[in-house]
Every structure is written in structure tokens, then in C-alpha cells.
Amino acid sequence: MAQGSDNWEASADVLTQVEAIEEALAFFGHIPKRLVFTRDAGAFLEKMRSMEIEVVFNLCETVDEDPALCWHPAAVLELLGMPFSGSPSQALMMTADKAVAKQLLLANRIATPGFRLCDGSETFAPSGLRFPVIVKPRFEDASIGIDQESIFETPETLSAGIESFKARFGSVLVEEFVDGREFNVSLFGYPKVRVLPLAEIDFSAFPEDMYRIVGYRAKWDRGSFEYDHTPRDFSSELSESTRTRIHKTALACFHLFQLRDYGRVDMRIDERGQVFVLEVNANPCLSPDAGLAASYMREGSSHAKMVDDLCHCIERRMFGNENKTVRAK
């Protein structure tokens, strides 16, 4: 995506991941090769065969900038029997669709904020929702389409503002806004997954007239107030019971959505201590400064070691024996 277009920062971050992972793979003796997946699946297959690829690190977050297609690369690799990192196509498909993900959470009695889907099929009515609410694109990730302007205090302001979101993103979710502490819960490992150190988002510098959210500006706009004032805090005080509930909820989500190798579950805890799942992220960002890497490195390791551990996850699926290794290529 060209610089200057909408959301180019989020798309450019994929290249940051690619470069960091290439460096780590080379350090451990592999020969990394870049391969782009587009709608031209035939060209992709031809290129992959000519490059003699043995194992794939799947870093696709969109296909030709369409986030609803993010699961297709994994599906093609599955058809080919090609080993690859991260979650299978079914997990990517379920988590990419926020409406489907919310329904699965509710069906399995995992608390998530109330919501309504607005897809243009009928007149939208926010009946039963508690205000304020936040509007989220159904398929985007990386906080695209989410910022202070996404929150509405009343049905009247929502009615006046929702059309602009539909015009930009098509189908959107209108979700009850939970004001409380926010945690990014990263998980890692195969076949057994573990919960990494919990990261709380520190909103303490936010003024009273700003909603405490990690929107697009907080993630990508280096000149914004939000970017400079939403640090991760790994030293948060939590009761043992609350920490246990967070861990159990994260693991339940990981297994429910059939995530693999790594994932992240974003949660909020309201003033009553209720834990709500905001999003389940299959294949979250692997950049060195991203949340999952930060949690992994909190245990005293490095980004390169995290990439090597992901290689071992693939090896265990390939060989059923973690002592065997992928041949450097």
C-alpha cells in the first residue's frame, strides 16, 4: 500500500515483520525467500515450485488488501500439504470475521460485550444496547477504523454517524463500550500452549475527555498523543483469582478458535471485575516491538529465539519429534 493512502502504516508493518523474521531465520542457518500471495493463485503456485520452498512462515494479513481473504493463503498451503507457521485456515477465517467470532464466544458462554451487526440488509436499530457504543469494521484488524470518533454516546449520534463507517468499511459491528482495564494476553507453543506474561495497557495519561482505547492512532500514528501514551505495563497488580480467570479465558479462546503456535486475546475488566473478551487474534503481529514479541521477550529471551521456537513448532507437526530439525534452505 502506498504511503499517504488510508491505513498505509498498518500494511507497511508487514514488511517490518518480514525483515525481522528473515534476519532471525538467517541467523539460525536457514535461507529465507520472499513469496507474495495474491488473487493470482496460479502464479503463486508456479513461483513457489520454482523456488523449491520447504516450509512457509505465513505472514499474510490480507490478500490484495482485502482482510476478509486473509485465510486463503493458509487454505492453499493446506491443500498442497505444505508445512507453515501459525493457525490453520479455519481459525483465521473464524477470527477474521468479528461477527462470527462474537457469536462463537457467546455460544460458549465466554463473556464479550453486547453487539449488533450492521450490514445494510435491514434498517439498523441499536435496541437493547447500553451506550456508549463503539463501531468496528467487521473484517479489519490492526485497529483500522477504530479511534475516538468511533465511540457514540447516544442512539441519535450513532444514527447520524454510522453511515460514514458503512461507506468506508461496508459491514460493521456496533458494540457496547466496556470502560475498564485492558489486557493483551499472548499465548505461545505447540502442541502445548502457554500463557505469556500479561501486558496491561496504561491509559493513566489520558485526559477525562478521551476514551481509553487502543485505536489506530495509538498503534500507528507516531505523532499522536495516543501513540505516546498507551505503553504496555507488565507489572500490574492483580489478585490471584483475577489472574487465573484471565489465563483460563485466554486458553479457552485459543482452543475454541483452534489457534495454533501463537495468538493473542484482548480483554477488558470492568469495575465489577467481570472479564470481557474484545477480540481473539490468530497470527498476531510478529514485529520485534509488537505485543506478542514483547510478552515473549519479557521472559528473558530474544525476538530471534521466538522465531526459532516457531520453527520448532512447525518441526513437531512435520516429524512428531522435536529433536528433528527443518533442513536449512
Side-chain angles (χ1 to χ4, degrees):
M1 182 178 283
Q3 183 167 337
S5 59
D6 288 347
N7 311 316
W8 69 268
E9 299 97 335
S11 293
D13 186 66
V14 175
L15 293 179
T16 301
Q17 296 182 64
V18 170
E19 292 166 0
I21 289 172
E22 281 180 335
E23 182 178 344
L25 290 173
F27 178 81
F28 285 102
H30 302 287
I31 303 175
K33 302 176 182 180
R34 296 189 188 188
L35 183 58
V36 178
F37 190 98
T38 70
R39 291 174 185 266
D40 189 347
F44 169 80
L45 293 173
E46 183 178 347
K47 186 72 171 177
M48 187 171 69
R49 292 190 180 103
S50 70
M51 296 173 70
E52 299 182 346
I53 302 297
E54 294 183 350
V55 175
V56 173
F57 254 79
N58 179 20
L59 301 178
C60 289
E61 296 180 356
T62 66
V63 176
D64 293 343
E65 300 298 340
D66 186 344
L69 303 179
C70 70
W71 57 276
H72 284 73
V76 170
L77 295 172
E78 287 164 351
L79 285 171
L80 297 173
M82 174 65 67
F84 63 95
S85 67
S87 288
S89 60
Q90 184 172 343
L92 293 165
M93 180 174 59
M94 291 188 294
T95 55
D97 187 335
K98 292 184 177 68
V100 169
K102 299 276 283 187
Q103 292 288 4
L104 280 170
L105 290 169
L106 291 172
N108 286 271
R109 299 183 180 180
I110 298 175
T112 187
F115 78 103
R116 296 287 183 275
L117 176 64
C118 179
D119 60 3
S121 60
E122 57 187 35
T123 302
F124 178 74
S127 57
L129 291 180
R130 292 177 295 179
F131 281 75
V133 296
I134 183 168
V135 177
K136 300 179 176 181
R138 181 177 180 177
F139 292 105
E140 297 285 359
D141 65 352
S143 291
I144 291 173
I146 299 175
D147 258 318
Q148 296 293 314
E149 300 80 11
S150 305
I151 301 180
F152 297 90
E153 292 278 0
T154 66
E156 292 74 24
T157 56
L158 173 64
S159 179
I162 196 171
E163 291 302 322
S164 65
F165 285 88
K166 290 166 60 179
R168 288 177 62 196
F169 302 110
S171 186
V172 298
L173 264 66
V174 179
E175 181 182 89
E176 294 177 353
F177 176 68
V178 176
D179 191 12
R181 301 173 69 180
E182 181 163 335
F183 291 87
N184 297 156
V185 189
S186 296
L187 304 100
F188 193 97
Y190 179 89
K192 185 176 181 180
V193 64
R194 71 182 189 277
V195 179
L196 299 178
L198 302 182
E200 180 173 8
I201 305 301
D202 181 2
F203 294 109
S204 61
F206 273 43
E208 288 296 324
D209 61 349
M210 286 186 70
Y211 289 102
R212 300 183 173 204
I213 62 171
V214 182
Y216 189 85
R217 288 191 289 269
K219 287 187 177 180
W220 309 112
D221 185 355
R222 293 179 180 271
S224 69
F225 171 87
E226 294 96 321
Y227 186 91
D228 291 327
H229 295 90
T230 48
R232 301 181 192 95
D233 182 5
F234 289 97
S235 61
S236 300
E237 292 187 4
L238 287 168
S239 68
E240 192 59 35
S241 61
T242 299
R243 189 176 296 273
T244 298
R245 278 188 291 130
I246 290 175
H247 279 222
K248 286 185 175 179
T249 301
L251 288 166
C253 290
F254 193 95
H255 295 303
L256 170 63
F257 287 90
Q258 301 174 46
L259 272 56
R260 191 175 65 191
D261 295 347
Y262 64 105
R264 195 188 74 240
V265 183
D266 298 335
M267 304 181 191
R268 283 217 165 189
I269 302 178
D270 68 9
E271 59 185 7
R272 299 173 299 169
Q274 174 71 56
V275 175
F276 292 91
V277 173
L278 301 182
E279 279 197 47
V280 179
N281 299 276
N283 293 13
C285 180
L286 292 176
S287 294
D289 62 350
L292 187 132
S295 291
Y296 181 94
M297 291 188 287
R298 185 73 180 178
E299 294 182 326
S301 196
S302 66
H303 182 267
K305 182 61 168 60
M306 181 186 77
V307 175
D308 189 46
D309 278 353
L310 282 173
C311 289
H312 288 303
C313 290
I314 304 171
E315 291 163 10
R316 292 183 189 108
R317 284 195 292 280
M318 291 175 66
F319 304 117
N321 182 344
E322 66 179 285
N323 294 320
K324 294 185 179 181
T325 59
V326 175
R327 179 161 56 91
K329 187 69 179 176

